[in-house]
């Protein structure tokens, strides 16, 4: 639940991905919260998958692994954004190049293997969220509405490509709601 709520909150407070934002307090807070959210999401989706593992099948496993990969990658890249980029004020080209990774823009600075991080993360988020949501929907153990919202949230992220940057972050709200609702479904089942 906490990961889903944080996912939504982060979308509303995240400053623009520009060089001048990297050293601001808002940048630090948004990225510290993203690291926490990623960790909570990894724990949460593991619990959700473990509860339904016998009914989730290979689709659930594939979705879980891809979705976990996304949150692990997000945590690692966000760690760099939170703790390393603010220290690189004397290397603005590198910072701008790193920030361009998530948007798919090219970089003047050679990023090596990091160039693959953006596309891998995008595929893991989209395909992992979709497969995981469908598998949880089909398993019929936790809330089917929450699982459907999670799958929809993964697909809704495609809208970010056509929306202005300020609105693009709102495309992540269905995913956050789906995560929170699935977490609540698991938690309320345990309490009962």
């Amino acid at each position: 639940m906490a990961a889903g709520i944080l996912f939504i909150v982060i979308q509303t407070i995240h400053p623009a991905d520009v060089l001048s934002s990297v050293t601001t307090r808002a940048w630090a807070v948004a990225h510290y919260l993203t690291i926490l959210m990623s960790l909570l999401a990894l724990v949460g989706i593991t619990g959700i998958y473990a509860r339904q593992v016998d009914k989730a099948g290979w689709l659930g496993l594939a979705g879980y692994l891809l979705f976990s990969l996304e949150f692990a990658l997000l945590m690692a890249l966000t760690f760099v954004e939170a703790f390393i980029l603010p220290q690189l004020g004397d290397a603005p080209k590198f910072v701008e190049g790193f920030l361009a990774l998530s948007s798919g823009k090219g970089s003047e600075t050679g990023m090596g293997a990091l160039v693959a991080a953006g596309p891998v993360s995008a595929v893991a988020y989209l395909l992992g969220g979709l497969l995981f949501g469908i598998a949880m929907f089909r398993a019929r153990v936790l809330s089917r509405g929450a699982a459907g919202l999670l799958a929809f949230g993964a697909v809704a992220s495609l809208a970010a490509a056509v929306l202005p940057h300020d609105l693009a972050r709102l495309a992540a709200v269905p995913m956050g709601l789906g995560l929170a609702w699935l977490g609540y479904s698991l938690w309320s089942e345990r309490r009962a």
Side-chain angles (χ1 to χ4, degrees):
M1 286 187 304
I5 293 166
L6 281 174
F7 199 84
I8 295 167
V9 168
I10 290 162
Q11 304 313 313
T12 63
I13 67 168
H14 197 290
D17 290 326
V18 294
L19 183 61
S20 60
S21 296
V22 172
T23 56
T24 65
R25 185 171 194 66
W27 182 270
V29 169
H31 288 81
Y32 299 159
L33 288 175
T34 302
I35 292 168
L36 175 62
M37 181 272 306
S38 298
L39 181 61
L40 292 172
L42 283 169
V43 171
I45 63 173
T46 298
I48 290 165
Y49 176 68
R51 173 63 185 93
Q52 304 176 83
V53 68
D54 56 333
K55 295 186 179 176
W58 68 267
L59 189 65
L61 177 61
Y64 169 72
L65 291 174
L66 282 169
F67 213 33
S68 295
L69 173 64
E70 159 55 21
F71 286 112
L73 268 173
L74 180 62
M75 191 177 348
L77 293 172
T78 302
F79 180 88
V80 172
E81 290 178 330
F83 297 105
I84 298 173
L85 294 187
Q87 307 303 317
L88 297 176
D90 57 341
K93 292 287 186 196
F94 179 83
V95 174
E96 288 173 339
F98 193 90
L99 293 175
L101 290 176
S102 62
S103 65
K105 298 175 187 170
S107 171
E108 293 177 20
T109 307
M111 291 290 164
L114 279 176
V115 173
V120 169
S121 179
V123 168
Y125 179 86
L126 178 63
L127 198 54
L130 180 62
L131 295 178
F132 191 69
I134 290 170
M136 298 306 105
F137 186 86
R138 290 176 53 201
R140 297 178 184 256
V141 175
L142 298 177
S143 169
R144 295 183 84 203
L149 185 57
L150 185 84
F152 171 76
V155 175
S157 67
L158 293 172
V162 296
L163 292 171
H165 183 72
D166 294 343
L167 293 176
R169 291 200 168 275
L170 296 178
V173 170
M175 176 63 77
L177 290 173
L179 283 170
W181 190 2
L182 272 172
Y184 176 77
S185 181
L186 180 64
W187 178 74
S188 62
E189 179 188 64
R190 295 278 174 153
R191 290 187 70 210

